[in-house]
Amino acid sequence: MSIEQLAETARAMVAPGKGIIAIDESAATCQKRFDGVGIASTEENRRAYRELLLTVPKVDEYLSGAILFDETIRQSTKDGVPFARYMAEHGMIPGIKVDKGTVPLAGFPGELVTEGLDGLRARLQEYYKLGARFAKWRAVINIGEDIPSGTCIEANSQALARYAALCQEQGIVPMVEPEVLMDGDHDIETCYEVTEITLRSLFDALYQHNVALEGTILKASMVVPGKDCEHQASVEEVAEATLMCLKSTVPAILPGIVFLSGGQSDEAATAHLDAMNRLGPNPWPLSFSYGRAMQQAALKLWAQDMSGNWAKAQDTVHARARDNGLAALGQWRKA
Ligand code: 13P
């Protein structure tokens, strides 16, 4: 696989006005979301819900791709078309979550490390055959009393770099995601410092592992105050802090950066992305790879009446994709 092919996929993922929907919740996370709206997390319900999200008419105008979970990439529409094939035929690039989730980092209370490297080469080969052209690995960095430690950041960066190198070896674009969590009462400056150190460490590790940045996408968290911080920041403050942090850590050769929503409201996630693009031109396209901020309205509607609200729920996904697509161009207008 040539770097040029990886670069082409990476550029398509962040094509102007387009972003990605993350629907790669693990079975446990899906159960949590379904519990929240009173639906049983059965395999068929998960399949039906993912079908709703992936078959929104004309959504490829604003979505370049979707991140699937292992179970989902093996599932099909009710008419028997495998989801990955359906996506490819409807202008969307299939992606796959390949990490196996987080476990406590031994010796470092309150800190996590992401697992999933064992056997990853063979899994990537299979995912490629199933149609995946990009893959996601999420590392989690917690902010708290005396954390994160350098050891935690380093361990997660090394894992991200090893996964990214394996992806590229198999012709798959790595979407590297070091998520700095919003949990806690820390201020925006603390989030800035932690994000800066985390990104520096990540790009060092990618360099050490010979990862071609032109065939890599960064999935970043925004620089925001903790959820319980007394001083919440304005849209402009978040946009300026996030941009400054990214500009000082992320090489310009990267084809694009997409953001996670991380528990922000739908409107905040869109407003922040829009504000960052209005502050451009920036060194890279800035777009979205939202999970909750793309899905939460649709999930609520679908849960109320699975067949009766199908079209209405799809309309909300389309509307969220359009708003975020406009925000990726700095052209969103608050309703
Ligand atoms: P949220 O946008 O809900 O944070 O999810 C995105 C994601 O894929 C986190 O790994």
Side-chain angles (χ1 to χ4, degrees):
M1 178 66 55
S2 71
I3 302 287
E4 190 37 49
Q5 276 168 302
L6 291 170
E8 195 182 313
T9 303
R11 284 193 298 268
M13 288 164 68
V14 289
K18 291 192 188 192
I20 289 162
I21 183 168
I23 62 164
D24 60 326
E25 297 84 4
S26 64
T29 304
C30 205
Q31 164 115 39
K32 198 159 75 182
R33 304 268 190 271
F34 278 17
D35 283 351
V37 290
I39 306 178
S41 184
T42 61
E43 186 179 344
E44 173 50 23
N45 278 349
R46 292 192 295 270
R47 190 208 62 75
Y49 178 57
R50 265 64 182 259
E51 174 162 355
L52 183 151
L53 297 171
L54 290 171
T55 61
V56 174
K58 296 205 170 75
V59 82
D60 60 305
E61 228 178 301
Y62 308 109
L63 293 183
S64 59
I67 317 173
L68 310 178
F69 182 57
D70 178 79
E71 175 185 81
T72 319
I73 201 169
R74 302 171 195 284
Q75 290 175 324
S76 302
T77 66
K78 62 181 178 320
D79 298 332
V81 182
F83 284 140
R85 194 169 94 217
Y86 182 94
M87 289 174 66
E89 288 171 359
H90 288 80
M92 283 176 42
I93 307 168
I96 180 80
K97 169 194 178 75
V98 300
D99 67 71
K100 293 206 161 173
T102 57
V103 293
L105 181 65
F108 290 83
E111 301 202 272
L112 301 168
V113 67
T114 302
E115 291 193 329
L117 288 171
D118 287 359
L120 182 56
R121 178 177 279 125
R123 289 199 289 129
L124 288 167
Q125 285 163 351
E126 188 195 6
Y127 288 140
Y128 188 93
K129 283 192 201 129
L130 289 169
R133 292 297 176 268
F134 72 96
K136 182 192 104 171
W137 178 288
R138 173 174 175 259
V140 175
I141 306 296
N142 255 316
I143 299 181
E145 186 94 16
D146 295 329
I147 62 171
S149 65
T151 306
C152 172
I153 289 172
E154 177 86 359
N156 277 295
S157 294
Q158 287 293 322
L160 275 162
R162 285 186 59 197
Y163 129 86
L166 279 165
C167 284
Q168 292 193 334
E169 179 192 88
Q170 298 304 325
I172 290 179
V173 171
M175 176 190 271
V176 291
E177 180 184 14
E179 175 172 2
V180 177
L181 292 185
M182 283 166 64
D183 297 336
D185 61 1
H186 54 272
D187 55 20
I188 191 168
E189 287 80 15
T190 306
C191 180
Y192 185 106
E193 275 171 41
V194 170
T195 306
E196 183 177 31
I197 294 168
T198 300
L199 290 173
R200 275 198 204 296
S201 161
L202 171 62
F203 283 96
D204 274 355
L206 293 174
Y207 178 71
Q208 287 160 17
H209 285 259
N210 287 338
V211 174
L213 294 186
E214 53 273 56
T216 303
I217 295 287
L218 171 67
K219 177 157 174 167
S221 42
M222 297 182 196
V223 175
V224 288
K227 266 187 282 199
D228 302 324
C229 176
E230 270 172 32
H231 177 73
Q232 286 301 315
S234 67
V235 170
E236 287 67 33
E237 281 171 319
V238 170
E240 279 168 18
T242 305
L243 267 183
M244 171 100 89
C245 189
L246 292 171
K247 282 183 188 168
S248 68
T249 52
V250 182
I253 196 170
L254 205 81
I257 300 174
V258 292
F259 292 99
L260 58 99
S261 57
Q264 294 183 33
S265 70
D266 288 6
E267 186 175 309
T270 303
H272 290 148
L273 178 62
D274 185 63
M276 282 187 261
N277 280 305
R278 282 178 197 265
L279 288 168
N282 295 314
W284 347 253
L286 297 178
S287 190
F288 60 95
S289 172
Y290 297 153
R292 281 161 287 180
M294 279 294 301
Q295 296 181 39
Q296 48 209 1
L299 178 59
K300 240 184 240 162
L301 278 169
W302 181 67
Q304 284 160 12
D305 183 351
M306 286 187 184
S307 46
N309 279 349
W310 183 272
K312 250 193 255 169
Q314 286 198 325
D315 287 348
T316 67
V317 177
H318 191 272
R320 292 300 299 137
R322 189 193 55 225
D323 279 359
N324 290 319
L326 288 169
L329 298 169
Q331 293 172 6
W332 174 69
R333 254 177 243 285
K334 194 171 165 165

